[in-house]
Amino acid sequence: YNKKGKIVITYCKLLVLLTAVSTCNLFADVGFITVKTSLKPVNATASSSWKGINALKTINHSGLSAGLHDNNGNAATMWHSIASPKQTRAHAGTAAGPAWLKYDCGKPVHLSEISIWNHNQANLTDRGIKNCTVEYSVDGENWKTLKNKSRNYFTVPRGTGSPNMPASLTIDTAAVKARYVVLTAAGQ
């Protein structure tokens, strides 16, 4: 965002938590009942990464405690894209954008929600994303866009810059079945 509220992508930083509806034991402390449970994707890749602060930061709970995110002074607990990225696609059939994250859950799962923590570095919350498309696929070839009412994108509120920030946005995915999820910074 710039001072007029328009997005200016210098680089993006995010932390993402996928939640699944499960009838099996995904973690040792989850029983064989239907529950919403954190789902740790097998892999996360990104359009680019800034100096070793890669997409894996978005799935390893870095900086996250009890659903609240820190405001680490050097933002080392979130993923960073490179400065002034060019538009690319995570996969043929997905939206193009200056920054994207692609998650592989290892197998198709029923996602119940996606929580996104926008960039939360104190005094630098303008480095986050404003709008993003959410696309998903069972096979990595055929992609669908998660709709936000009549729009093909979601607006991600700016981080607060405060410690212990709750998720900026939680998207109800209505238990879509997906193995792959792609979040792409959308054009403004």
Side-chain angles (χ1 to χ4, degrees):
Y1 299 91
N2 66 16
K3 295 190 189 294
K4 294 180 182 175
K6 298 252 323 157
I7 191 164
V8 177
I9 298 280
T10 53
Y11 51 95
C12 299
K13 303 175 190 189
L14 293 174
L15 177 72
V16 176
L17 178 66
L18 304 177
T19 305
V21 173
S22 175
T23 55
C24 64
N25 191 1
L26 290 179
F27 297 108
D29 61 346
V30 177
F32 289 88
I33 56 174
T34 301
V35 295
K36 286 198 310 189
T37 181
S38 289
L39 173 69
K40 184 168 183 182
V42 173
N43 196 20
T45 54
S47 52
S48 64
S49 293
W50 180 266
K51 298 182 182 180
I53 303 177
N54 61 41
L56 296 177
K57 293 281 187 183
T58 67
I59 62 171
N60 68 5
H61 292 243
S62 181
L64 193 64
S65 177
L68 302 173
H69 203 277
D70 68 17
N71 65 341
N72 183 280
N74 63 7
T77 58
M78 295 184 137
W79 161 73
H80 303 236
S81 72
I82 61 170
S84 302
K86 295 183 182 195
Q87 294 224 1
T88 61
R89 296 177 190 276
H91 193 279
T94 62
W100 52 260
L101 289 160
K102 180 180 178 183
Y103 299 97
D104 180 354
C105 297
K107 64 181 181 181
V109 296
H110 291 280
L111 295 174
S112 60
E113 59 188 31
I114 299 171
S115 295
I116 300 172
W117 286 260
N118 213 340
H119 178 63
N120 195 43
Q121 187 178 7
N123 301 315
L124 295 171
T125 57
D126 60 338
R127 293 182 174 177
I129 66 169
K130 183 175 181 183
N131 296 325
C132 75
T133 60
V134 179
E135 295 166 296
Y136 60 96
S137 173
V138 172
D139 59 10
E141 298 297 322
N142 299 294
W143 293 88
K144 295 180 180 177
T145 301
L146 195 60
K147 301 282 187 185
N148 181 11
K149 298 178 182 166
S150 63
R151 297 181 299 178
N152 288 338
Y153 64 89
F154 292 84
T155 298
V156 183
R158 188 183 278 202
T160 63
S162 302
N164 301 317
M165 182 183 82
S168 303
L169 176 67
T170 297
I171 301 167
D172 180 351
T173 61
V176 299
K177 189 172 185 179
R179 174 177 175 174
Y180 303 96
V181 177
V182 171
L183 305 177
T184 303
Q188 307 310 309

